[in-house]
Amino acid sequence: MSVTHKIQRTANAPTGPPSDLETKVAQSFIELEANVPDLKNELKPLQISAAKEVDVKGGKKAVVIFVPVPQLKLYRKVHSRLTRELEKKFADKHVVFVAQRRTLAKPTKTSRVKQKRPRSRTLTDVHDKILEDLVYPTDIIGKRTRIGVDGSKLLRVILDSKDANSLEYKLDSFASVYRKLTGKEVTFEIPVQPTE
């Protein structure tokens, strides 16, 4: 299988030829498919639509892999294993999977729209789904929006504490990726469970 078969351009993905990073990610998928027999059947139908590198605090980088929305359920079946294997291949980089979603503009009086805009295409819903994709497999327990005196907004996301050990080191990456994709400031917190 070639690298171009693993890259499927969808929704608002870039239309040009694949970048070096996208080619490297697709090549990693092919190598994992060939070398890891447990993942072979699960990886065969999977494709990516784009890949991007994001700078994180502390001089690190995160690789954001955009996947087609219909394949998101398949990705979630092998998410933790695939993330672990790809982080080994991309040394010192965190790997995050996000679905490639499309937003539709708000209809105005002059726009000739025949249908009502689906809730899944609104900007608010797309940003919420990106947040869920970033922290998967952890659940978001709560969200708080804090508005400063100067009018700046800060979103505080509270994550489930059962996955604290596996997520603690990635929280800065999540915040940087979310800021890069949406332009919104966010902080992630994991509540401390009282010991009895």
Side-chain angles (χ1 to χ4, degrees):
M1 177 171 280
S2 70
V3 172
T4 52
H5 285 76
K6 281 290 180 189
I7 300 172
Q8 173 194 1
R9 299 294 194 189
T10 58
N12 49 355
T15 53
S19 67
D20 292 340
L21 181 65
E22 292 166 349
T23 309
K24 202 183 286 186
V25 169
Q27 188 61 43
S28 301
F29 269 65
I30 293 169
E31 288 169 11
L32 285 173
E33 196 178 311
N35 299 336
V36 183
D38 315 355
L39 289 174
K40 183 171 183 163
N41 291 335
E42 285 89 357
L43 285 179
K44 196 165 188 74
L46 298 182
Q47 295 175 312
I48 65 168
S49 56
K52 204 183 260 187
E53 219 171 44
V54 176
D55 294 324
V56 182
K57 268 195 293 190
K60 285 197 160 205
K61 290 189 183 282
V63 177
V64 184
I65 300 172
F66 294 95
V67 302
V69 178
Q71 293 185 357
L72 189 61
K73 201 176 252 186
L74 297 172
Y75 268 100
R76 291 201 166 163
K77 286 181 183 175
V78 293
H79 183 275
S80 55
R81 181 91 191 277
L82 186 58
T83 305
R84 206 174 323 115
E85 294 291 339
L86 287 174
E87 282 179 351
K88 286 179 197 170
K89 288 199 177 282
F90 297 106
D92 257 5
K93 293 180 184 174
H94 296 146
V95 176
V96 177
F97 291 99
V98 177
Q100 183 80 51
R101 292 191 170 83
R102 179 191 302 254
T103 58
L104 293 176
K106 195 172 184 179
T108 60
K109 289 181 181 178
T110 57
S111 63
R112 296 183 173 182
V113 179
K114 303 271 190 255
Q115 296 177 324
K116 189 174 180 345
R117 177 174 63 154
R119 171 80 178 143
S120 63
R121 300 288 192 277
T122 62
L123 189 68
T124 306
D125 194 62
V126 168
H127 286 186
D128 287 346
K129 296 290 186 198
I130 288 173
L131 200 56
E132 288 173 21
D133 290 349
L134 279 177
V135 299
Y136 185 82
T138 305
D139 295 325
I140 296 173
I141 294 175
K143 289 186 214 170
R144 307 284 183 271
T145 304
R146 184 170 166 225
I147 302 173
V149 180
D150 59 345
S152 62
K153 290 184 179 181
L154 176 69
L155 183 65
R156 214 171 92 216
V157 178
I158 301 152
L159 302 174
D160 197 354
S161 57
K162 68 177 166 82
D163 300 316
N165 297 339
S166 60
L167 280 183
E168 199 84 50
Y169 68 99
K170 279 186 165 186
L171 295 180
D172 287 339
S173 296
F174 291 160
S176 299
V177 169
Y178 191 73
R179 187 182 316 109
K180 177 77 172 176
L181 296 179
T182 64
K184 294 179 179 176
E185 291 292 325
V186 67
T187 58
F188 292 93
E189 295 176 10
I190 299 173
V192 179
Q193 293 292 342
T195 54
E196 297 175 12

